[in-house]
Amino acid sequence: VSCSELFKKYYSDYSFTFSRGAANLVSFAKDDSRAAFIDGYRVTLSGTLSNGSKTQSFSKEYIDLKEATAYNFFKLKPDRQKAFLDAYYGRDGLDYRWGRISIGSNDFCLKSYEYTSSPDLSDFSIEHDMRYVIPLLKKITSRKELRLMASSWSPPSCMKTTKILQHGGHLKLWQYKNYAKYLRKWLDSYEKQGIAVDFLSPQNEPFAKQEWESCLFSLGAQRRLAYKYVSKELEGTNVQL
């Protein structure tokens, strides 16, 4: 959790809690700079703000915007599409202002797919996302400012020890740099489509070996990837790791 200097000047006291059900709570007090990874399809951010004369409580949620959601959205008739957008993103609806998107395929896609088949990224393309995911994101972001977190379910299979997206496996030690470049290339490609990402999580559920897209990272491997490689690729951007 990070707060702008303007925010800190206005609010003399504040606290936040991220939750995914009662069993998964992570609390942050004022000036707390800890980081926490919370996986889930629907996460609630709640908190209390005080400027000395007034105390305000709030609660906001975000949901994943995956290919399955986008595919079903575009099967709706135009009036039902509008009803969906109004219900989830309208001022008189849930008014979601956060969303999480997937870098590559995941367990809620029409099929497994990859952006590249080569560690040098010579054939990199986000063409697959141009059919459903990006058009939905454009419809949402044309209506309101949406803060986005992006997470990868698996590195490209050509960079993994198992050479497949599914069933865990590990990122090859000599591919860390290429994987960081891959993440930056994805961010740049989305930005060219008008989709700005605010936060990046290099790996979804890093300790889980799943039947679908997944990859295992120890705490040390996560630190190595994040601080030695990905952070360098994010220099000059507004993306927070």
Side-chain angles (χ1 to χ4, degrees):
V1 172
S2 61
C3 301
S4 68
E5 292 304 315
L6 183 62
F7 178 95
K8 293 177 182 179
K9 287 180 180 179
Y10 184 79
Y11 292 107
S12 58
D13 194 22
Y14 49 87
S15 63
F16 306 99
T17 298
F18 283 97
S19 64
R20 183 190 173 212
N24 190 357
L25 300 174
V26 181
S27 298
F28 294 83
K30 181 180 178 181
D31 296 327
D32 196 340
S33 60
R34 293 180 300 115
F37 291 91
I38 298 180
D39 295 305
Y41 304 113
R42 181 174 176 176
V43 173
T44 300
L45 167 64
S46 58
T48 301
L49 308 173
S50 175
N51 64 3
S53 60
K54 181 180 179 181
T55 299
Q56 176 185 5
S57 297
F58 70 91
S59 180
K60 288 293 180 183
E61 299 177 328
Y62 82 76
I63 57 174
D64 282 351
L65 294 165
K66 296 179 179 176
E67 187 180 39
T69 302
Y71 170 76
N72 283 294
F73 173 84
F74 286 108
K75 289 180 68 177
L76 298 173
K77 294 180 179 179
D79 62 322
R80 302 313 298 162
Q81 290 183 12
K82 182 180 183 303
F84 172 91
L85 295 173
D86 289 342
Y88 284 93
Y89 300 99
R91 288 183 177 273
D92 296 326
L94 293 172
D95 197 22
Y96 284 151
R97 300 181 186 184
W98 292 72
R100 185 171 71 150
I101 54 179
S102 173
I103 303 173
S105 60
N106 54 71
D107 48 329
F108 283 87
C109 281
L110 303 181
K111 64 178 182 179
S112 293
Y113 67 91
E114 302 188 66
Y115 300 125
T116 185
S117 62
S118 175
D120 66 8
L121 311 181
S122 57
D123 60 352
F124 183 94
S125 172
I126 60 168
E127 184 62 31
H128 182 95
D129 295 352
M130 297 296 292
R131 186 172 185 184
Y132 297 116
V133 176
I134 289 177
L136 175 57
L137 290 172
K138 286 184 176 181
K139 280 186 174 290
I140 297 171
T141 55
S142 68
R143 294 168 57 101
K144 68 186 307 177
E145 182 180 353
L146 188 69
R147 305 204 74 183
L148 292 172
M149 180 177 76
S151 183
S152 173
W153 265 241
S154 173
S157 59
C158 60
M159 299 183 188
K160 295 178 65 178
T161 55
T162 53
K163 299 182 180 180
I164 58 173
L165 297 175
Q166 301 81 9
H167 303 288
H170 298 84
L171 179 64
K172 295 176 181 177
L173 293 177
W174 57 93
Q175 295 293 352
Y176 275 59
K177 185 175 182 179
N178 285 334
Y179 183 46
K181 290 183 178 296
Y182 163 88
L183 294 173
R184 175 60 190 267
K185 196 171 185 68
W186 180 88
L187 288 167
D188 290 344
S189 298
Y190 261 59
E191 187 172 16
K192 288 179 181 177
Q193 295 299 319
I195 308 299
V197 172
D198 300 283
F199 304 95
L200 173 66
S201 171
Q203 179 58 47
N204 175 67
E205 299 179 352
F207 305 131
K209 179 182 179 181
Q210 306 285 18
E211 294 181 5
W212 51 84
E213 289 83 345
S214 51
C215 189
L216 299 172
F217 282 88
S218 66
L219 288 174
Q222 291 180 64
R223 286 195 298 269
R224 179 171 182 255
L225 175 64
Y227 295 116
K228 188 174 182 179
Y229 296 100
V230 178
S231 61
K232 292 181 179 179
E233 288 296 328
L234 295 182
E235 291 178 359
T237 74
N238 294 319
V239 180
Q240 296 185 48
L241 180 62

